[in-house]
Amino acid sequence: MDSYPNNSLVLQGLGISFGAVEWNHPRFPTLHERAGLLAARLPRWAIASGTTAGWVWTGMGMPEPWDVLRPPKPALSPLQRTLWSAREQNPHHHTIQVISGLTLLSAEATAREVLFSSNPVDSRAAQLWVLESLCLTPLAALPRGRRSTTAARANARAALAALTRLRENYPDITR
């Protein structure tokens, strides 16, 4: 819930609002600061994934809707499962790391999840543009490394096509 002082800072140009996440400084947060912001917002068990982790890695798009994974053990309480829709982390596909107290997917695992995501394609393309330099595997090969649904594969194709259009339309920014 937004607080009056945070809204006031944003309205005065002294803060930035990223949906439910408020940054009370007139400059953009760094990687570690973005991770710290989400570490304070997400449950301690949550592993930031998809476009939520993509926002931490890149600063592009928005951290919401929350995209989190749950660790295989210990199991979550029924109340937590009701409050948070979280898939279980698969250690083969979801390599994790900790930055500023936030547990999140590695950059390459994040890129794969962003490709498969159903969030807005332009936001995902911007995240992929930054994540590409952090990945050892080419983005086009990432979806082949894991089984996926037809819809997820279509999302990946759409994101890669949007990334291509981004490079074509803004060559001076994306080079």
Side-chain angles (χ1 to χ4, degrees):
M1 192 161 160
D2 291 336
S3 67
Y4 178 76
N6 289 343
N7 270 338
S8 175
L9 290 171
V10 170
L11 291 172
Q12 294 175 52
L14 300 174
I16 304 171
S17 174
F18 302 102
V21 178
E22 300 288 340
W23 176 244
N24 296 326
H25 302 282
R27 59 175 176 75
F28 201 78
T30 66
L31 168 72
H32 290 276
E33 291 166 336
R34 290 189 301 271
L37 284 169
L38 292 195
R41 286 291 214 173
L42 297 176
R44 297 205 55 68
W45 56 261
I47 302 166
S49 176
T51 54
T52 299
W55 180 77
V56 174
W57 282 111
T58 68
M60 304 295 238
M62 297 292 269
E64 296 175 294
W66 300 120
D67 194 355
V68 296
L69 300 173
R70 59 185 163 84
K73 294 193 190 288
L76 291 182
S77 72
L79 179 61
Q80 286 293 314
R81 285 194 304 266
T82 302
L83 294 173
W84 290 89
S85 174
R87 294 178 297 129
E88 187 174 297
Q89 177 214 4
N90 180 335
H92 297 293
H93 302 295
H94 300 132
T95 53
I96 61 172
Q97 58 188 99
V98 178
I99 300 174
S100 296
L102 176 71
T103 305
L104 75 160
L105 293 181
S106 67
E108 192 159 305
T110 296
R112 182 181 300 113
E113 294 299 314
V114 168
L115 280 166
F116 288 145
S117 173
S118 60
N119 287 340
V121 71
D122 291 331
S123 175
R124 291 186 298 131
Q127 287 184 350
L128 290 168
W129 168 64
V130 177
L131 284 167
E132 187 171 31
S133 64
L134 303 174
C135 296
L136 298 175
T137 307
L139 291 179
L142 286 176
R144 288 177 268 175
R146 186 179 109 192
R147 287 177 52 190
S148 59
T149 65
T150 303
R153 286 191 302 274
N155 288 340
R157 283 191 301 275
L160 290 170
L163 179 59
T164 300
R165 285 190 306 277
L166 189 66
R167 287 189 183 117
E168 289 170 357
N169 292 334
Y170 304 100
D172 54 329
I173 297 171
T174 59
R175 69 181 131 157

